[in-house]
Amino acid sequence: MKKSRRFLALVLTVITLMSVMAVTAFAANNQNTYPTVSINTSTFSPGQVREKTDSSKIYYRGLVCADTHTFVQARGSYSNSTSASYINKTVANKLAVSYVICRKDVEYAITNLINEDGYNYARLYFKRLTTYTTSASTNLEYVWSPDSVGSGYTVAT
Amino acid sequence: MPKNTIIILILAVCILFASCRHTILGEETTGQQVELPETGLPCIFEYDTGERQLKSGKLICTITDARLINNINDLENLDGFTEDANILFIDDHDEIVFKYPDWINENGEFIEGAYLLLVDISVTSNGAESYTRHDINEFGDAIGMYDDPYLFRADSLVYLQDTHYGTDGIMTQEDTDGTKYTNIAAWGIDYFSERNRISENPNVFRLSPGETMEFHLGFLISDITEKGEMDLGSLYLTKVMGDKDQFIIHLNLSQEEE
């Protein structure tokens, strides 16, 4: 009888652990996606919209672009509609800023107040530095996740 | 406790887990599946070293078919949805987001006005190689993400863009501080039939030189005539979000609904 109870307790423990693991797996939106967006020197151009589920930094890395550096904004919205308004929530050095500058090929953690201010969706916006004098647009291919895990990334400023 | 009881208990738990994972599945029903009108298919485009993340060679992509489905049972792989497979409707100015799998009824049909645009694509490697993490740029940073040069990303091949909101699907807006920014009505994939096959990333596929692979990409659509946000008549597949020069094909899906 005691042996059966111990077995039952073991089964229930395993079930509980599996349930916790399942919930954890869906907790943060930290899978990488790889959008390609057209950017220019005159306006901030938006990238992909994705759900943001926690208050972690945004993971970002510019992969392919004619420019080595890019202005990047982290914006938030209550909606995932591409026609909705997205509010700039970029933070650097503990201050709200208009943008951070990110170098190509470097893995960045972008500080933001998207989740803290109640927004559910994150979207990165990009603008070319005017030092790249050509007015034509260029393509930026990047990898990002709205929620980040791990450490060792360069904090964007 | 009798052995039989324990076995029944374990079976019950297994069934519970299975039902949690597939609650979207109901009886075997199949929704309407309408063939696309004239769209210029098959459509061929190249993914190469120009401004793409390829070290050499090219991927030759052929879109062989694109169609709307509105029943989950029309999919071969039900585990192909991304974590962002949400769909938006607008009801009296209130935006309602249905998260996956809340937009699927118990019988497998999607809620009114919701569709999955299913794109059949065939990709052939013409000596294509991705940069790996062993390739270093001028700053000493690794260019690639993986060790295997034959891994490619399904979620950067094509995007869906709606020109309903502007010629290029682009609107220029002004922020409260006067900063001008654009808004692009463009979306990435919500479904990849080969998702989770490669451990490095759920959205990548492996293709050696000379090989061909066929898979499906899916984009969730909420019909603007059913309080959604996408105009079925003005949807394009594009290689780059926000660049009309990179449009691949006009889908002309509005005729499908008639």
Side-chain angles (χ1 to χ4, degrees):
Chain A
M1 188 69 175
K2 279 185 178 175
K3 196 174 176 182
S4 297
R5 281 186 180 170
R6 273 204 299 270
F7 180 72
L8 181 62
L10 180 66
V11 169
L12 290 173
T13 305
V14 169
I15 291 167
T16 306
L17 283 173
M18 286 175 70
S19 304
V20 170
M21 286 168 70
V23 169
T24 305
F26 287 101
N29 196 354
N30 51 35
Q31 288 187 0
N32 292 339
T33 58
Y34 302 81
T36 303
V37 62
S38 175
I39 63 172
N40 58 64
T41 54
S42 60
T43 57
F44 276 95
S45 302
Q48 188 180 36
V49 184
R50 295 181 64 192
E51 191 175 8
K52 182 157 180 57
T53 60
D54 66 29
S55 56
S56 62
K57 297 177 193 297
I58 290 173
Y59 169 77
Y60 165 79
R61 179 183 179 185
L63 293 173
V64 184
C65 187
D67 310 340
T68 56
H69 294 75
T70 311
F71 293 121
V72 182
Q73 283 182 337
R75 289 175 171 257
S77 176
Y78 298 114
S79 153
N80 66 350
S81 170
T82 52
S83 58
S85 292
Y86 290 80
I87 311 301
N88 182 24
K89 290 292 165 187
T90 317
V91 171
N93 298 320
K94 299 182 179 177
L95 293 172
V97 294
S98 297
Y99 53 79
V100 290
I101 296 178
C102 296
R103 202 179 77 190
K104 192 172 69 173
D105 291 327
V106 175
E107 294 183 295
Y108 283 100
I110 300 176
T111 315
N112 65 88
L113 290 172
I114 293 170
N115 185 269
E116 291 85 338
D117 287 355
Y119 298 107
N120 313 101
Y121 292 90
R123 193 175 199 185
L124 293 179
Y125 279 68
F126 308 94
K127 188 176 170 184
R128 301 184 76 182
L129 274 65
T130 50
T131 47
Y132 302 106
T133 51
T134 171
S135 59
S137 59
T138 191
N139 295 340
L140 167 68
E141 184 174 352
Y142 64 101
V143 53
W144 79 303
S145 64
D147 303 322
S148 59
V149 290
S151 57
Y153 306 127
T154 302
V155 176
T157 57
Chain B
M1 183 177 290
K3 195 175 175 182
N4 286 347
T5 309
I6 294 169
I7 292 170
I8 290 168
L9 183 63
I10 292 171
L11 280 173
V13 170
C14 291
I15 291 166
L16 177 67
F17 273 102
S19 62
C20 285
R21 191 173 177 77
H22 295 296
T23 46
I24 51 177
L25 292 178
E27 55 192 274
E28 292 282 327
T29 58
T30 302
Q32 67 180 56
Q33 186 166 328
V34 189
E35 288 302 314
L36 267 182
E38 201 174 295
T39 55
L41 294 171
C43 168
I44 300 173
F45 65 98
E46 291 181 352
Y47 186 102
D48 55 31
T49 56
E51 289 199 37
R52 317 299 296 199
Q53 183 73 348
L54 287 188
K55 185 177 181 180
S56 60
K58 60 179 70 171
L59 295 175
I60 301 166
C61 307
T62 305
I63 296 173
T64 54
D65 193 21
R67 60 199 176 278
L68 294 178
I69 66 168
N70 66 350
N71 192 302
I72 197 73
N73 297 312
D74 290 332
L75 292 174
E76 293 170 9
N77 176 16
L78 301 177
D79 295 324
F81 286 100
T82 68
E83 71 273 23
D84 292 295
N86 306 328
I87 193 162
L88 180 137
F89 287 88
I90 301 159
D91 189 14
D92 289 337
H93 304 292
D94 291 328
E95 295 181 337
I96 305 167
V97 177
F98 291 87
K99 294 188 177 183
Y100 174 83
D102 296 343
W103 42 267
I104 305 168
N105 293 320
E106 283 188 3
N107 65 0
E109 289 186 0
F110 303 163
I111 57 176
E112 190 74 22
Y115 300 93
L116 183 72
L117 170 68
L118 203 58
V119 177
D120 297 349
I121 189 165
S122 170
V123 182
T124 299
S125 170
N126 187 356
E129 274 191 47
S130 294
Y131 286 102
T132 70
R133 61 177 105 224
H134 305 295
D135 295 305
I136 306 297
N137 69 4
E138 68 267 34
F139 304 111
D141 303 308
I143 303 174
M145 301 287 289
Y146 316 115
D147 292 327
D148 187 343
Y150 302 131
L151 293 184
F152 305 98
R153 298 182 298 268
D155 55 346
S156 67
L157 291 177
V158 288
Y159 307 92
L160 185 68
Q161 185 152 343
D162 190 351
T163 59
H164 173 85
Y165 299 95
T167 309
D168 297 344
I170 300 172
M171 300 164 282
T172 299
Q173 296 175 314
E174 195 165 304
D175 215 345
T176 48
D177 63 1
T179 307
K180 282 187 177 178
Y181 65 96
T182 51
N183 231 333
I184 304 174
W187 300 265
I189 61 167
D190 295 296
Y191 176 84
F192 171 40
S193 59
E194 299 298 309
R195 189 174 157 81
N196 291 317
R197 305 286 167 86
I198 305 287
S199 60
E200 280 85 344
N201 187 292
N203 291 330
V204 302
F205 59 94
R206 190 179 194 285
L207 204 59
S208 297
E211 285 185 343
T212 296
M213 186 174 178
E214 294 177 356
F215 49 82
H216 309 290
L217 299 176
F219 299 87
L220 282 172
I221 287 176
S222 64
D223 185 353
I224 202 168
T225 64
E226 299 283 350
K227 298 184 177 178
E229 64 169 350
M230 300 177 193
D231 185 341
L232 298 183
S234 57
L235 291 174
Y236 289 77
L237 291 179
T238 179
K239 289 199 284 185
V240 176
M241 290 189 282
D243 185 353
K244 67 178 180 183
D245 294 334
Q246 301 287 336
F247 284 1
I248 299 168
I249 191 167
H250 178 208
L251 294 165
N252 201 17
L253 298 170
S254 56
Q255 292 180 29
E256 263 196 59
E257 278 211 311
E258 293 170 358

